[in-house]
């Protein structure tokens, strides 16, 4: 849940500083509305204790907001999305290759290895190219708020593939999230 502070951090901190995007009433309102939708979605699972997961979620949101700002900055200097994705994936590839080789040496199955390769191509490659092309077209704050739609997709897939129920909280929270995204794109 705390990871979804990213659009708020982006709108109020990184976008104005790094990208020189203005904080508008519209962006502030829809950032907070989308986060409220996330809260409603999470009501059944909220835990009042401050634990490591909360702290890590907040740190994740800060780095994700910074990540989105830097990706938008890269598109402003006219870097081709394919080249950007290659460089973006090259550094982690170099850093994590020793760990991957150790896993292969310890007997990772060929099926699992092929699944990871496919996952890398689809998630690390194709989806990132599409993302870079999209973020080039809209302000980073808009892209970040549209990121609130991620849990909606996860809920739909969890319902289809795992039979997880869609509760009233999910419907209300989902509506608020979708409304926040539509409001950013269409609202005045």
């Amino acid at each position: 849940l705390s990871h979804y502070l990213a659009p708020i951090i982006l709108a109020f901190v990184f976008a104005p500083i790094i990208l020189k995007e203005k904080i508008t009433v519209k962006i502030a309102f829809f950032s907070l509305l989308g986060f409220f939708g996330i809260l409603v979605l999470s009501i059944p699972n909220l835990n009042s204790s401050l634990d490591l997961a909360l702290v890590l979620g907040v740190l994740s949101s800060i780095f994700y907001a910074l990540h989105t700002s830097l990706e938008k900055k890269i598109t402003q200097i006219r870097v081709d999305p394919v080249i950007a994705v290659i460089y973006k994936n090259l550094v982690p590839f170099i850093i994590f290759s020793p760990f991957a080789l150790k896993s292969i040496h310890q007997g990772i199955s060929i099926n699992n290895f092929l699944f990871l390769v496919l996952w890398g191509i689809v998630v690390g490659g194709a989806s990132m190219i599409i993302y870079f092309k999209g973020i080039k077209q809209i302000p980073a704050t808009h892209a970040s708020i549209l990121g609130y739609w991620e849990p909606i997709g996860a809920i739909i897939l969890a319902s289809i593939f795992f039979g997880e129920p869609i509760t009233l909280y999910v419907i209300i929270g989902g509506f608020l999230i979708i409304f926040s995204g539509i409001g950013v794109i269409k609202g005045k």
Side-chain angles (χ1 to χ4, degrees):
L1 173 64
S2 53
H3 171 76
Y4 290 103
L5 288 169
I8 296 168
I9 294 168
L10 178 77
F12 292 102
V13 180
F14 293 123
I17 294 170
I18 295 173
L19 303 170
K20 308 300 184 224
E21 291 182 10
K22 296 198 185 304
I23 302 171
T24 65
V25 172
K26 177 179 106 170
I27 293 298
F29 174 77
F30 288 116
S31 292
L32 295 171
L33 181 67
F35 185 70
F36 183 69
I38 295 290
L39 285 175
V40 171
L41 276 177
S42 304
I43 286 173
N45 302 317
L46 286 179
N47 183 348
S48 62
S49 67
L50 176 66
D51 59 1
L52 181 61
L54 177 65
V55 173
L56 292 175
V58 171
L59 288 173
S60 169
S61 70
I62 292 168
F63 285 111
Y64 187 69
L66 178 61
H67 176 258
T68 303
S69 299
L70 295 176
E71 285 182 333
K72 177 64 179 180
K73 192 73 169 172
I74 288 169
T75 66
Q76 291 174 339
I77 57 174
R78 303 195 194 292
V79 173
D80 181 81
V82 174
I83 300 301
V85 169
I86 289 170
Y87 281 113
K88 180 180 175 178
N89 289 325
L90 186 61
V91 172
F93 174 78
I94 292 168
I95 292 171
F96 294 113
S97 286
F99 302 105
L101 292 173
K102 183 178 178 186
S103 295
I104 291 170
H105 180 69
Q106 290 177 343
I108 187 172
S109 74
I110 190 69
N111 287 341
N112 286 345
F113 179 76
L114 292 175
F115 173 77
L116 291 172
V117 168
L118 178 65
W119 183 49
I121 292 169
V122 173
V123 175
S127 67
M128 289 281 64
I129 291 169
I130 293 166
Y131 180 78
F132 267 103
K133 287 184 179 197
I135 200 170
K136 189 175 189 173
Q137 307 298 320
I138 62 175
T141 49
H142 291 199
S144 186
I145 292 169
L146 290 172
Y148 278 141
W149 289 31
E150 179 183 316
I152 301 296
I155 288 165
I156 292 168
L157 292 174
S159 177
I160 292 169
F161 292 110
F162 304 115
E164 291 192 18
I166 296 180
T167 66
L168 182 60
Y169 290 117
V170 169
I171 292 168
I172 294 170
F175 173 77
L176 292 172
I177 293 166
I178 291 169
F179 182 71
S180 72
I182 292 170
V184 163
I185 300 302
K186 296 287 184 185
K188 297 290 179 197

